[in-house]
Amino acid sequence: MFGAFRASTVSQGGLLWKARMKMDLSPTQKANIRKRLKAADDVVMKIQQSGVECNALTKLKAEPTEAQMPAKDKYTVFSRTFKGYRKSVHKVPHFTKVAVPRTAPAGF
Amino acid sequence: MSSVSRIIAAARPSLTASARAYTTTAAEAPAATEGYYKVTQTRSLIGVPKSTIKVLKSLGLGKKIGRPVFQPHEPSAAGKILKVKELVKVENMAGPIPPEGFQRTRATKGYKVVGKMF
């Protein structure tokens, strides 16, 4: 009806573009998150294979790869303001292009 | 809270530098070869922090997605590429950097320009 959004009592009630707040990710979104993590891992691997050493590489070698990350770390990030101290990664601004933390503080 | 976090931290597998699945040991790691990186931008700069955009442009990228750039096997270039790793893809190439840069392969024209009037 109004573009891509399905008609609901809220959307037809006058506030046109009020979409529901989605906290869960679709299987496609999750697949693309994994794809992007693997692509970033691939860049680090190529730099490693070239034999060059630098501080950035030393720091990145300590981070887990996509295969080593639990699902919780792939699709959520630590947040001190959210209930449960975790929020969905799609709430991070420009999360598809910005380095999102791969580990949370211990215990969270 | 501290005892709970200690238990959870103990249960979480500890990740050491050698935990990365594709890490080569110090003995196996190749010495810095006389080669170069072929870096290709894969994502747009829209919405990217300004510091990252500056690094990307210093690499020679930022003009067209899919247009590759050659960078030497040096720590300075490696650090720049790792800063923008979410936006690029890299290949390792052997030999010296071609002086003419990246030459796009084009189909041959059916004619040759002999001269120009203007």
Side-chain angles (χ1 to χ4, degrees), chain A residues 7 14 22 30-31 40 44 57 60-62 66 82 87 100:
Chain A
K22 290 188 193 178
K30 288 182 173 180
V44 178
L57 185 63
L60 285 168
K61 274 201 250 184
E66 186 268 336
F82 268 65
K87 72 177 182 185
V100 173

Side-chain angles (χ1 to χ4, degrees), chain B residues 6 8 43 53 68 73 87 95 97:
Chain B
R6 244 183 279 133
I8 292 168
R43 304 206 60 137
I53 292 177
H73 273 180
L87 308 168
I97 297 181

Side-chain angles (χ1 to χ4, degrees), chain B residues 56-103:
Chain B
L56 199 82
K57 291 196 169 170
S58 78
L59 282 168
L61 298 166
K63 299 195 172 155
K64 220 172 174 73
I65 291 179
R67 184 180 286 179
V69 143
F70 299 145
Q71 288 290 332
H73 273 180
E74 300 270 315
S76 53
K80 284 187 208 171
I81 293 166
L82 290 173
K83 170 94 179 167
V84 300
K85 65 183 183 316
E86 283 78 24
L87 308 168
V88 298
K89 70 176 183 200
V90 181
E91 281 171 43
N92 280 315
M93 316 287 276
I97 297 181
E100 67 273 7
F102 174 72
Q103 293 294 312

Side-chain angles (χ1 to χ4, degrees), chain A residues 13-84:
Chain A
L15 288 163
L16 270 184
W17 302 114
K18 195 170 177 110
R20 66 185 177 94
M21 185 167 54
K22 290 188 193 178
M23 279 304 285
D24 50 342
L25 298 170
S26 72
T28 316
Q29 284 174 302
K30 288 182 173 180
N32 285 333
I33 286 171
R34 294 193 299 272
K35 186 170 94 172
R36 284 188 293 266
L37 286 170
K38 281 180 202 159
D41 289 343
D42 189 57
V43 171
V44 178
M45 178 169 69
K46 292 282 161 69
I47 304 281
Q48 225 172 344
Q49 284 171 353
S50 71
V52 174
E53 286 178 19
C54 58
N55 294 339
L57 185 63
T58 313
K59 281 186 198 167
L60 285 168
K61 274 201 250 184
E63 286 188 8
T65 60
E66 186 268 336
Q68 296 162 342
M69 289 168 76
K72 191 176 170 189
D73 284 344
K74 286 185 219 180
Y75 311 127
T76 62
V77 294
F78 171 73
S79 164
R80 51 181 85 207
T81 55
F82 268 65
K83 190 175 172 184

Side-chain angles (χ1 to χ4, degrees), chain B residues 2 7 19 40 42 45 59 63 66 68 72 78 83 87 90 96 104 114:
Chain B
S2 62
I7 291 164
T40 315
T42 52
L45 298 180
L59 282 168
K63 299 195 172 155
K83 170 94 179 167
L87 308 168
V90 181
R104 193 180 146 190
V114 189

